[in-house]
């Protein structure tokens, strides 16, 4: 009886170990596939500040606040890059999208404040107070602000996911990486590791669950889409499905 019990326990242990490895390998395969898809998709849509084609709007993604409520270094980097595009005549407006889920935490306001300090006119700054996630920012850019084409501004580790999401949600986006600052290796490692799970979630969001972010009344930045150089080329408008 004892030998039989030990044998059953050993078989169960082997089965559990095999299941663990199957799940582990399956999960890793999903992560690798997700990164490969978004990486290739983003690579062909990423430009330098000087070579990026003009678009009507630059979308700047939130990236946290300091304890004092100001923009973090990562966020200042993004805003600086967007300002460079604005002064180079690459965009007409800057959409600052971030989290304002509480009164004490207001990313868009901090983004606006820093953009103003760089000389961006207030009339050309648009604030999105419900950009809690990259998915939400892209979804609301199309549905609330009527953006059909844009330059996406964020760091290189985040740009492929942002480009994939926005294009899948109907915004014909190209990207420029914010690289004005040098970051610590440990910070870059942490951000890139975090992107692994976030990228899988992004693909699930756009192809499976399609969650609805906070919406509201439309607030189009432009009454009509800008003609000529600002008309979209290959927008995929499937955000209403």
């Amino acid at each position: 009886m004892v030998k039989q019990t030990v044998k059953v326990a050993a078989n169960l242990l082997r089965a559990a170990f095999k299941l663990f490895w199957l799940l582990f390998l399956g999960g890793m395969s999903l992560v690798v596939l997700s990164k490969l898809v978004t990486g290739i998709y983003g690579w062909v849509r990423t430009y330098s500040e000087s070579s990026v084609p003009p678009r009507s709007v630059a979308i700047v993604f939130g990236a946290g606040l300091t304890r004092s409520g100001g923009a973090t270094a990562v966020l200042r980097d993004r805003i600086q890059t967007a300002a460079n595009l604005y002064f180079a005549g690459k965009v007409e407006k800057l959409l600052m999208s971030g989290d304002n889920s509480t009164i004490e935490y207001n990313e868009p306001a901090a983004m606006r404040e820093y953009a103003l300090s760089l000389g961006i006119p207030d009339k050309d700054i648009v604030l999105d107070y419900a950009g809690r996630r990259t998915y939400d920012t892209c979804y609301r850019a199309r549905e609330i602000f009527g953006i059909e084409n844009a330059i996406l501004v964020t760091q290189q580790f985040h740009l492929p996911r942002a480009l994939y999401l926005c294009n899948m949600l109907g915004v014909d986006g190209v990207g420029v990486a914010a690289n004005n600052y040098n970051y610590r290796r440990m910070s870059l490692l942490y951000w890139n590791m975090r992107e692994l799970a976030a990228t899988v979630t992004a693909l699930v969001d756009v192809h499976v669950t399609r969650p609805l972010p906070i919406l509201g009344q439309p607030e189009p930045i432009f009454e009509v889409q800008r003609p000529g150089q600002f008309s979209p080329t290959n927008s995929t408008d499937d955000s209403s499905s």
Side-chain angles (χ1 to χ4, degrees):
M1 178 65 71
V2 174
K3 290 184 178 181
Q4 186 176 1
T5 301
V6 171
K7 185 176 181 180
V8 170
N11 289 336
L12 289 175
L13 185 60
R14 282 194 293 268
F17 186 75
K18 183 181 295 186
L19 178 61
F20 168 79
W21 274 108
L22 287 174
L23 292 174
F24 176 77
L25 292 175
M28 290 301 298
S29 299
L30 183 59
V31 169
V32 171
L33 180 61
S34 298
K35 290 295 289 183
L36 183 63
V37 169
T38 57
I40 294 174
Y41 196 93
W43 179 67
V44 298
R45 291 168 175 80
T46 299
Y47 297 82
S48 65
E49 289 183 16
S50 60
S51 65
V52 67
R55 297 290 170 101
S56 55
V57 181
I59 300 177
V60 186
F61 296 83
L65 300 177
T66 63
R67 292 182 179 180
S68 62
T72 59
V74 174
L75 188 50
R76 293 196 303 271
D77 196 355
R78 297 178 185 185
I79 299 167
Q80 178 66 67
T81 301
N84 295 344
L85 295 172
Y86 177 87
F87 291 123
K90 296 289 187 176
V91 295
E92 298 179 68
K93 303 283 186 180
L94 304 183
L95 175 62
M96 306 290 192
S97 181
D99 187 2
N100 182 211
S101 53
T102 67
I103 296 176
E104 297 79 14
Y105 192 89
N106 193 334
E107 281 186 333
M111 296 165 78
R112 172 182 172 273
E113 182 178 345
Y114 189 68
L116 290 173
S117 74
L118 296 176
I120 303 295
D122 199 20
K123 66 180 179 64
D124 291 330
I125 300 173
V126 181
L127 303 184
D128 174 17
Y129 292 97
R132 298 180 179 180
R133 300 192 302 150
T134 303
Y135 176 92
D136 297 2
T137 294
C138 293
Y139 199 114
R140 286 174 53 81
R142 177 67 180 186
E143 292 298 316
I144 299 299
F145 298 99
I147 296 175
E148 295 182 354
N149 60 86
I151 298 175
L152 312 187
V153 180
T154 184
Q155 276 74 23
Q156 185 59 52
F157 63 82
H158 177 225
L159 194 54
R161 176 164 62 95
L163 282 166
Y164 190 85
L165 280 169
C166 278
N167 279 274
M168 291 298 105
L169 293 171
V171 177
D172 176 23
V174 293
V176 171
N179 57 2
N180 299 292
Y181 298 170
N182 292 320
Y183 299 102
R184 293 179 300 176
R185 291 184 179 180
M186 287 303 298
S187 296
L188 289 171
L189 177 61
Y190 169 73
W191 293 328
N192 278 282
M193 291 299 293
R194 188 175 63 177
E195 276 299 303
L196 296 178
T199 301
V200 174
T201 301
L203 266 66
V204 172
D205 281 344
V206 295
H207 296 299
V208 181
T209 59
R210 273 303 175 97
L212 278 178
I214 297 172
L215 294 175
Q217 294 298 317
E219 303 174 29
I221 295 177
F222 302 112
E223 290 302 320
V224 294
Q225 176 69 31
R226 288 293 196 263
Q229 65 180 8
F230 294 122
S231 61
T233 55
N234 62 347
S235 175
T236 306
D237 185 8
D238 57 358
S239 58
S240 61
S241 61

